[in-house]
Amino acid sequence: MEKRHIAFAGVSVAMVLLTAACGSSKDNSAGSANVQPAGGSQTVGAGASASAGAGAVAGATGGYEAGGDTGAAAGSEAERTGPAKQLAVKEDAKLGKFVTDSKGWTLYRFDEDTPKPAKSNCNDDCATKWPAVPADDAAATTGVESSKLGSVTRSDGTKQLTLAGWPVYRFAGDAKPGDTKGQGVGGTWNALAPDGKPAGKTAAADDSLQLMVNNNAELGKIIVDGKGMTVYRFNKDSAWPMKTGCLGACLDTWKPVEAVDTTKVAGLDAAKVTSFKRPDGTKQAAFDCWLLYTFTGDKKPGDINGQGVKGTWFAVTDKGKKAGQ
């Protein structure tokens, strides 16, 4: 009985070590499974309107959590839900340059949105605390390129202003023009810099993102690359240990995602983003130890034509699981 106990403990320790090695390594050595290769406008419309609530702020998932500022000053709701009109660029020591509307209300962006294609993932309770800025009647200003202004259709059919592809919001917790209380909320909300990047930051969650999460209407939250193209995982790969089953002719159809800078991912756990050295010496991105690929059959951002191909290829959820399963 004691020997069986010791043997079981040895197996448990080995499994823990294996898991830790894969989960913590940023560069895993190449391997291959013995399997067969698989084939495999800048015009604007009416915007959304949301009333400010009290006692909650948006969290990292786009919902809300207890605590935070209690809301807006009396009489300010119309200003915080109306058109932005002539934008302005302000500057302070902490944030550097950031964009406001014509009344001076700070404008924000959400890291869990996507710019390519433009997509808002802040709805329902989130949209109450972070009112979407309507796309109509917005004009560029000195320091903001007019070509960067656009619009996105929200889930309720209204048009929201975008800057460099990022949907634009105000914060219900800002009590007066010039407030920046929304900066850093949930680790995912930031004032907008004039180029669409997060004010006060030099990296992460900007238009140079290399991996991000898109809320697909059919599959839910799935990972896409920096161009908005869906990424996939392959059943014939192995995560424990990491090995590739996509070789030879398979690579004509399924393109390995190049290793990414983990400071340039948004909406997913950067600690689970690793790299894998393929047999040809190139480095491939992996998430939760599963190798990532794009599909040549996808022609534009948002396409999911690779989903379920041959029963072995699947889009990857924000948790690293097979989408649709």
Side-chain angles (χ1 to χ4, degrees):
M1 183 70 173
E2 183 179 350
K3 289 181 178 179
R4 290 176 63 189
H5 234 35
I6 293 171
F8 178 76
V11 171
S12 299
V13 170
M15 288 300 292
V16 168
L17 291 175
L18 177 60
T19 301
C22 181
S24 61
S25 173
K26 295 295 180 186
D27 186 5
N28 296 277
S29 356
S32 60
N34 185 22
V35 296
Q36 294 297 315
S41 85
Q42 201 175 312
T43 22
V44 287
S49 174
S51 58
V57 293
T61 61
Y64 63 96
E65 54 195 25
D69 197 281
T70 57
S76 64
E77 183 174 337
E79 293 182 357
R80 289 184 297 107
T81 58
K85 298 187 178 181
Q86 180 73 49
L87 301 179
V89 176
K90 305 295 183 183
E91 186 170 5
D92 70 21
K94 180 181 178 181
L95 297 181
K97 293 182 178 180
F98 63 97
V99 182
T100 73
D101 65 14
S102 62
K103 298 290 186 180
W105 293 94
T106 301
L107 303 181
Y108 296 91
R109 47 165 280 169
F110 183 32
D111 284 356
E112 292 191 12
D113 288 346
T114 59
K116 299 176 182 177
K119 170 78 173 178
S120 170
N121 290 315
C122 178
N123 300 291
D124 304 321
D125 292 315
C126 174
T128 299
K129 294 305 299 182
W130 301 89
V133 176
D136 60 306
D137 198 20
T141 189
T142 302
V144 177
E145 296 178 21
S146 60
S147 61
K148 290 185 179 292
L149 297 183
S151 66
V152 61
T153 302
R154 294 177 55 79
S155 59
D156 62 3
T158 58
K159 296 284 189 180
Q160 180 175 2
L161 178 67
T162 61
L163 177 59
W166 289 95
V168 180
Y169 306 83
R170 298 183 182 94
F171 180 44
D174 283 345
K176 64 184 184 302
D179 280 355
T180 57
K181 296 178 181 179
Q183 177 69 11
V185 168
T188 56
W189 290 91
N190 295 280
L192 262 169
D195 58 1
K197 296 180 181 180
K201 292 188 177 183
T202 56
D206 59 24
D207 58 5
S208 63
L209 283 173
Q210 295 174 352
L211 284 180
M212 52 191 172
V213 173
N214 190 17
N215 197 4
N216 182 270
E218 182 178 340
L219 298 177
K221 290 185 176 182
I222 58 173
I223 301 175
V224 299
D225 68 9
K227 296 179 180 179
M229 303 301 290
T230 302
V231 303
Y232 299 87
R233 50 176 278 184
F234 185 32
N235 280 0
K236 293 182 180 181
D237 284 349
S238 168
W240 315 99
M242 292 174 69
K243 292 183 180 180
T244 178
C246 184
L247 301 164
C250 174
L251 296 173
D252 294 335
T253 304
W254 303 91
K255 303 298 184 181
V257 176
E258 292 182 3
V260 303
D261 179 346
T262 56
T263 68
K264 294 185 176 181
V265 303
L268 60 156
D269 186 351
K272 293 184 178 180
V273 177
T274 56
S275 66
F276 170 76
K277 190 174 181 181
R278 293 187 58 82
D280 64 2
T282 59
K283 290 187 177 181
Q284 181 175 1
F287 183 66
D288 200 25
C289 295
W290 283 98
L291 306 185
L292 303 179
Y293 304 81
T294 54
F295 179 46
T296 56
D298 286 342
K299 302 304 180 185
K300 64 183 185 303
D303 281 354
I304 52 171
N305 298 322
Q307 174 68 8
V309 167
K310 295 193 174 182
T312 56
W313 290 92
F314 297 91
V316 186
T317 73
D318 59 331
K319 305 302 182 187
K321 307 299 183 183
K322 291 185 288 187
Q325 300 295 293

